[in-house]
Amino acid sequence: MTNQEEKMEVYDDGAFSVFYTSYGMYSSRDKDGVGLCSSLSKEAVIFWSREHLNGFQNSTATVTN
């Protein structure tokens, strides 16, 4: 087990994991190891990881020109 795997926290019954990177940020990966998102805030990573996995059901996008 690597040092990074020891620091991973698993959420939503293994759907994704959150870990602290060496660059001072939090990042997440899904159960297949694909990166989802990263942020300075752990709570933001948890929120956006869930949004990625659920198809952005709780988010809206606005395009301005």
Side-chain angles (χ1 to χ4, degrees), residues 11 18 21 26 28 30 40 55 60 62 65:
Y11 291 90
V18 176
T21 68
Y26 290 93
S28 65
D30 67 5
L40 293 172
T60 58
T62 304
N65 289 332

Side-chain angles (χ1 to χ4, degrees), residues 31-63:
K31 63 182 176 183
D32 297 324
V34 177
L36 295 173
C37 63
S38 61
S39 175
L40 293 172
S41 166
K42 183 178 179 180
E43 292 78 19
V45 170
I46 294 168
F47 174 81
W48 287 109
S49 297
R50 287 179 175 145
E51 287 294 296
H52 276 275
L53 295 173
N54 292 325
F56 299 98
Q57 293 177 350
N58 298 320
S59 302
T60 58
T62 304
V63 178

Side-chain angles (χ1 to χ4, degrees), residues 2-33:
T2 66
N3 191 21
Q4 186 177 7
E5 289 173 344
E6 293 173 0
K7 296 180 182 180
M8 283 190 168
E9 295 181 28
V10 179
Y11 291 90
D12 296 347
D13 296 327
F16 67 95
S17 301
V18 176
F19 56 95
Y20 190 73
T21 68
S22 59
Y23 297 108
M25 298 181 70
Y26 290 93
S27 188
S28 65
R29 293 187 181 152
D30 67 5
K31 63 182 176 183
D32 297 324

